[in-house]
Amino acid sequence: MATIIPERRPEWLKVRPPKGENYDNLKQLMRSKELHTVCEEARCPNIGECWGHKTATFMILGRVCTRSCGFCAVETGRPIGLDWEEPKRVAEAVQKMDLRHTVVTSVNRDELKDGGAAIFAATIRWIRRLNPDCKVEVLTPDFKGVYDALKIVIDARPDVFNHNVETIPRLYKRVRPQAIYKRSLQVLKWAKEMNPASPTKSGFMLGLGETWDEIIEVMHDMRAHEVDILTIGQYLRPSFQHLPIQRYVPLEEFAALKAEGKKMGFRHVESGPFVRSSYHAHEHLLPSLLTQSVETQSHCSDDLNLADGAKLHE
């Protein structure tokens, strides 16, 4: 397929530059806590809207990723060290923002034995300790397919587990060169098996050269691996060093895919050009989550001794 770079975005794909008092205050809060957000690092088009409503997706484990995905604006390189105080600072920021639903994601840390899973677990527990009414969603890497690493995260009982497949299998070598499609599906299946009561979630981008049939096949694969929540969005090129856009997907196609997803049995489908993994994440919570509580809340008082977790990286 020939590479086609549209000359200009459709009118419905234009966003206003981020601004406003809430946006400025939140940015100041993140810097004061020495925290990173995927909103900034990935240059998300929704940053103005989300930050204006005092919602954000925290990016833990630093700002340098060990992988080099062709679509992502996060810096690639060799990360240095771990910040074991970061989980507490995230929880304090959630408390100050008075969030009721927060999303925690990270860069890939393939150089670590557990891929950073212990920091994920500590972050979940710290958020619950300081914000017992806040729902916690995690968007994790694949942890190189290490079952025990994933279990560390799931044992901390996130309310929603998210791991994105990002694109169709045919495009993986170009879009996600260090990832494996079947491995991502396996991670999602394991997460559901480890904690059947919590929803699993995944998503992918359109506009990279996929066909309709390939998209539908990925959606069927997700359902076969018991994914509950699906997000579909338009790929937007972060810079000229990233993969070119093959096409801008019309709104009608997003609507058609949402309808297909509902037919397949997804419990929630978010499909639109500006949809990202955590966009409107608080609206993805299913009714069953609101009553799911004794088991989840019992983990809020788990031991928060980070020195114990640090041993996992030795």
Side-chain angles (χ1 to χ4, degrees):
M1 179 181 294
T3 298
I4 301 173
I5 304 177
E7 292 184 2
R8 54 186 300 179
R9 293 184 181 183
E11 286 299 319
W12 40 267
L13 255 180
K14 295 180 180 179
V15 294
R16 295 178 179 178
K19 60 181 180 179
E21 184 178 355
N22 285 344
Y23 172 83
D24 293 336
N25 290 341
L26 185 50
K27 188 167 186 174
Q28 183 178 1
L29 173 63
M30 295 302 174
R31 297 299 80 80
S32 69
K33 295 289 185 182
E34 297 182 6
L35 298 174
H36 305 291
T37 67
V38 75
C39 321
E40 296 170 287
E41 302 297 332
R43 303 175 193 172
C44 180
N46 304 313
I47 187 170
E49 177 184 353
C50 295
W51 282 30
H53 288 93
K54 293 188 177 181
T55 64
T57 299
F58 296 91
M59 190 174 77
I60 61 174
L61 293 166
R63 59 187 301 175
V64 179
C65 186
T66 54
R67 299 192 186 181
S68 54
C69 296
F71 64 90
C72 185
V74 175
E75 180 183 351
T76 298
R78 177 180 290 182
I80 300 175
L82 286 174
D83 181 355
W84 288 99
E85 293 300 317
E86 184 177 47
K88 183 179 180 182
R89 293 201 309 275
V90 170
E92 289 171 344
V94 170
Q95 185 179 47
K96 191 163 186 178
M97 292 166 64
D98 193 27
L99 298 183
R100 290 293 174 264
H101 185 105
T102 189
V103 182
V104 179
T105 189
S106 77
V107 294
N108 283 274
R109 294 294 300 266
D110 290 332
E111 87 284 8
L112 300 174
K113 186 178 295 186
D114 75 342
I119 294 281
F120 260 105
T123 303
I124 295 168
R125 291 179 172 126
W126 265 112
I127 291 173
R128 288 245 171 77
R129 171 183 261 192
L130 300 185
N131 310 272
D133 295 327
C134 183
K135 300 296 182 183
V136 184
E137 175 176 332
V138 293
L139 169 57
T140 77
D142 59 22
F143 300 118
K144 296 173 71 174
V146 176
Y147 182 92
D148 289 342
L150 177 65
K151 192 172 187 301
I152 291 170
V153 177
I154 300 301
D155 282 351
R157 290 298 189 268
D159 293 292
V160 180
F161 175 83
N162 187 359
H163 172 68
N164 286 330
V165 299
E166 303 292 10
T167 189
I168 61 166
R170 176 173 59 82
L171 297 177
Y172 255 56
K173 287 185 179 180
R174 189 159 60 94
V175 178
R176 302 184 73 199
Q178 295 105 325
I180 302 169
Y181 177 69
K182 289 185 177 179
R183 183 167 71 191
S184 284
L185 290 174
Q186 185 64 65
V187 165
L188 288 159
K189 184 177 182 180
W190 281 341
K192 175 59 73 173
E193 291 172 349
M194 291 176 189
N195 188 10
S198 289
T200 52
K201 177 177 174 181
S202 189
F204 54 83
M205 303 166 286
L206 301 181
L208 285 162
E210 63 289 322
T211 67
W212 175 268
D213 288 344
E214 288 173 323
I215 296 167
I216 297 300
E217 185 176 354
V218 168
M219 292 168 67
H220 279 300
D221 285 345
M222 287 183 178
R223 286 301 300 133
H225 288 75
E226 300 186 72
V227 172
D228 300 298
I229 303 170
L230 171 63
T231 60
I232 309 172
Q234 167 74 51
Y235 167 62
L236 296 175
R237 193 180 193 184
S239 76
F240 287 112
Q241 283 69 52
H242 292 84
L243 293 172
I245 299 170
Q246 297 292 325
R247 69 180 181 121
Y248 290 118
V249 178
L251 298 176
E252 295 78 12
E253 189 168 331
F254 281 110
L257 287 170
K258 179 170 185 173
E260 288 292 330
K262 297 300 284 185
K263 287 180 190 175
M264 290 181 195
F266 286 101
R267 294 166 73 176
H268 186 92
V269 180
E270 192 87 33
S271 180
F274 290 129
V275 170
R276 297 296 181 267
S277 304
S278 55
Y279 186 52
H280 291 169
H282 60 288
E283 297 177 3
H284 300 173
L285 281 176
L286 306 173
S288 60
L289 274 179
L290 300 178
T291 56
Q292 168 192 31
S293 32
V294 177
E295 183 181 11
T296 297
Q297 292 302 320
S298 68
H299 289 77
C300 294
S301 58
D302 284 357
D303 185 12
L304 293 172
N305 187 341
L306 298 183
D308 292 339
K311 294 175 183 178
L312 297 167
H313 295 279
E314 294 176 354

